[in-house]
Amino acid sequence: MDHTTIPAGAARFLHPKGHVIDGQVVPPTRGATLPVEDPATGEIFAHIPAGDAEDIDRAVRAARGSFVAGTWSRADPAHRGRVLWAFARAIREEAEALAWLETRDSGKPIAEARADITGTAEILEYYAGLASQIAGQTMRAPGNNYAMVMREPAGVVGQITPWNFPLYVGAWKFAPALCCGCSVVLKPSELTSLTMLAAAELALAAGVPPGVFNVVCGTGADAGAPLSTHRDVDVLAFTGGVVTGRKVLHARADLLRPTQLELGGKSPNIVFDDADLERASAGAAFGIFYNQGENCNAGSRLLVQAGIYDRFVARLVERARAIRVLPPLDERCQMGALISGRHARKVADYVEVGVAEGATLLCGGPPPQGEHFARGHWYLPTVLANVAPEHRVFQEEIFGPVVTVTKFARDDEAIALANATEFGLAAGAWTSSVQRALRCTQELQSGYVWINNYNPTPVEVPFGGVKSSGFGRDCGPQAIETYTTWKTVLWALAPFDDWYRQ
């Protein structure tokens, strides 16, 4: 497949005419658009609507209207589940078209895009099943009262989603919100909006009522900020970088409204001397190079025990050099292009800084000019060895196909190095020792820990971080907590006792 071969169904989503607001495709208020670049070629192949505060306000008002009307918020939960299941089926039916759009939009390999689209359907199916299982409590309370503690949909939910997994991570947010009965206004990244606009149209066709799932495109400044500061947004969920996350949190604090943040990571991946080196090197490569390393939970800091350091690093470099960096629509592609020229320059700058600080560049870096590398935004799988904890490349999120390798001697040192950054999103450990594994699960300051594994994020379990990686959780039944509120009803079982009786 190449970019000139458009799969059946993709053409209908390739040139969006506007946002999806209140069940309709609505042109942006100012009539402005943003170009959509193919990261692998640099070609502008589409345009998306450029929204602003007026578009956001229109979408929020539509969401509020639908929520108050109750066609979704007060619908039979089983009905919501059936509609979400139909939505998932529509995603599956359009999977090849959506994967093609995702690859052209993001630069990721077509195989990975297919996995993202299938994963999106699985997320919707999970929350379809959960819709009728959102339970509260009942109890006899003191004073001869009967208490009902109920979960209710939180109301109008604003969601801001990232460019690296446009539909998949987006579904981590909109699926549980819809499951709970909320009405959603979602702003996708301006770099990768096509599949989210398509999903909003598919949701309508599947039976999600108008005004319940609205998608407004635009930049963070023009559309994201107005959504964060809108007074009629009851809950805001954000996935993105730490700097923007702080701005979002400040805006929500001023409004005294709840917020869920999933922010950056600098995740440690520890390889102990009793690990299976073949499995560990394969897992380490997958942990950092999957999705071009543009992954918040990427295992970007390898910590390797001294006794196996040289052998392990040699095997890792061998694996990195063997990765097929090809045009993303080529079925053989194992790693694609970075999202933008600006981002590719940022990645390259970090590698230069790392080398200047004393790290050793073992492989990778900017690709040679020629073939498909002459256009687009490319960076080869990169391994930096001899990295020290004080190096910037050890501390700061690069968000690209660059892994740092640091040697440790003792288990205590490994745990201390793993925890020695401001982040706490994910971590991994490779060992055949149950004791070591259990110690890592207990002592690693992280919201997610893989043991002899790296990167799978099944929807059935929660995902989120600690420290500067944010708070609140996507996925699992725990995501329901973000999109519901508690209401207590106290019902007197006896005549009211007149406190002021004479």
Side-chain angles (χ1 to χ4, degrees), residues 423-441:
F423 297 104
L425 185 57
W430 299 82
T431 178
S432 60
S433 165
V434 173
Q435 287 77 17
R436 272 176 164 166
L438 287 173
R439 182 179 182 188
C440 286
T441 63

Side-chain angles (χ1 to χ4, degrees), residues 140-147 490-498:
R140 285 294 295 269
N144 203 17
N145 289 298
Y146 183 76
L490 199 63
W491 196 323
L493 299 179
F496 184 74
D497 184 10
D498 185 357

Side-chain angles (χ1 to χ4, degrees), residues 64 116 118 187 376 394 449 482:
R64 179 61 65 193
D116 289 356
T118 300
K187 193 213 79 78
F394 186 95
V449 178
T482 299

Side-chain angles (χ1 to χ4, degrees), residues 19-26 55 58-67 69 71 183-185 200 204 208-216:
H19 315 294
V20 178
I21 299 174
D22 206 12
Q24 298 180 328
V25 176
V26 179
D55 298 303
R58 179 173 180 176
V60 171
R61 284 188 282 111
R64 179 61 65 193
S66 70
F67 187 78
T71 52
S183 290
V184 172
V185 178
L204 287 166
V208 175
V212 171
F213 186 26
N214 308 276
V215 173
V216 178

Side-chain angles (χ1 to χ4, degrees), residues 6-174:
I6 303 177
R12 63 182 281 212
F13 302 125
L14 186 55
H15 300 290
K17 303 300 183 185
H19 315 294
V20 178
I21 299 174
D22 206 12
Q24 298 180 328
V25 176
V26 179
T29 302
R30 293 182 289 114
T33 63
L34 294 169
V36 180
E37 181 192 37
D38 184 333
T41 66
E43 175 192 357
I44 302 301
F45 69 97
H47 288 79
I48 58 168
D52 60 14
E54 289 187 48
D55 298 303
I56 290 292
D57 185 64
R58 179 173 180 176
V60 171
R61 284 188 282 111
R64 179 61 65 193
S66 70
F67 187 78
V68 171
T71 52
W72 187 254
S73 59
R74 295 193 296 275
D76 185 335
H79 169 72
R80 291 203 295 265
R82 287 190 293 270
V83 172
L84 291 180
W85 195 270
F87 187 5
R89 185 169 62 247
I91 294 286
R92 289 189 182 277
E93 289 170 353
E94 298 287 355
E96 195 63 22
L98 293 171
W100 184 87
L101 288 169
E102 202 81 294
T103 290
R104 291 216 67 195
D105 221 358
S106 69
K108 67 177 63 187
I110 184 65
E112 294 181 11
R114 289 190 184 110
D116 289 356
I117 301 306
T118 300
T120 298
E122 291 170 352
I123 293 164
L124 283 164
E125 288 161 354
Y126 173 78
Y127 285 105
L130 206 60
S132 58
Q133 300 181 47
I134 300 174
Q137 297 174 300
T138 60
M139 66 194 79
R140 285 294 295 269
N144 203 17
N145 289 298
Y146 183 76
M148 296 184 293
V149 185
M150 304 182 295
R151 277 196 182 274
E152 294 188 329
V156 173
V157 172
Q159 299 178 330
I160 300 174
T161 57
W163 51 260
N164 57 335
F165 292 91
L167 197 54
Y168 182 76
V169 169
W172 280 3
K173 298 193 182 302
F174 68 68

Side-chain angles (χ1 to χ4, degrees), residues 24 48 69 78 81 158 218 227 230 256 266 285 297 335 350 362 374 377 429 470 477 486:
Q24 298 180 328
I48 58 168
L227 183 59
H230 202 293
L256 295 177
K266 191 67 179 175
N297 58 253
M335 199 174 94
Y350 265 113
L362 297 182
H377 317 301
W486 288 107

